[in-house]
Amino acid sequence: MTESVILKFADTHTIERGGGVATTPLIVPPVRPGAAFTSGISSFPAGQAAPLHRHNCDEQVTLLSGLAEVEIDGETTTLDPYDTTYVAAGVEHCFRNIGDEPMVILWVYGSNRVTRTFAGSDEEMEHLSAADMLVR
């Protein structure tokens, strides 16, 4: 296996996650097994949001386009394009599209095994699994 990977966006597969939310995995275990992180891009139509949740690892999110707000540990902040967040493992958070255009985010997790646990639940699910739909 080669150490480096060139991933052409046009060749990637997009996952529909409900409510018009779409995710394109980039660096994930099937693409680069053993990578130290996981990354991808998600798009949310106007009015959509990722439900309040937490992960087993740190997460960095950069707003690429649109207007968003992020709630981290109960505090809400408006985000403009290229604003970046860092959310520590285990901290509840969510991203909401508060604009009229799609909200597009780049996400990077500090692990190659990512799980999500939705607020009010103790059920930990694998990131991007069938159980991990963002519209609930």
Side-chain angles (χ1 to χ4, degrees):
M1 174 190 331
T2 179
E3 291 296 319
S4 300
V5 173
I6 304 295
L7 184 64
K8 301 295 271 182
F9 192 79
D11 297 334
T12 60
H13 174 72
T14 298
I15 301 167
E16 298 298 325
R17 301 182 74 193
V21 177
T23 294
T24 304
L26 297 174
I27 303 302
V28 292
V31 171
R32 181 59 177 95
F37 62 90
T38 302
S39 66
I41 294 174
S42 293
S43 176
F44 295 76
Q48 281 291 8
L52 196 60
H53 62 279
R54 65 185 182 274
H55 298 287
N56 64 312
C57 57
D58 295 349
E59 177 184 27
Q60 178 249 306
V61 171
T62 299
L63 179 64
L64 298 178
S65 64
L67 183 62
E69 69 179 14
V70 60
E71 180 181 333
I72 301 174
D73 208 16
E75 184 176 329
T76 301
T77 303
T78 300
L79 300 175
D80 295 307
Y82 305 110
D83 288 349
T84 299
T85 64
Y86 173 86
V87 183
V91 174
E92 287 194 345
H93 61 285
C94 67
F95 293 86
R96 300 180 191 99
N97 184 343
I98 59 172
D100 297 327
E101 302 294 324
M103 170 185 81
V104 180
I105 59 173
L106 168 69
W107 42 265
V108 180
Y109 296 105
S111 177
N112 60 12
R113 182 182 174 272
V114 181
T115 66
R116 181 187 319 269
T117 304
F118 290 103
S121 171
D122 290 329
E123 181 186 353
E124 183 178 49
M125 58 199 69
E126 293 296 318
H127 181 245
L128 301 180
S129 68
D132 185 31
M133 293 294 103
L134 290 179
V135 177
R136 300 182 80 63

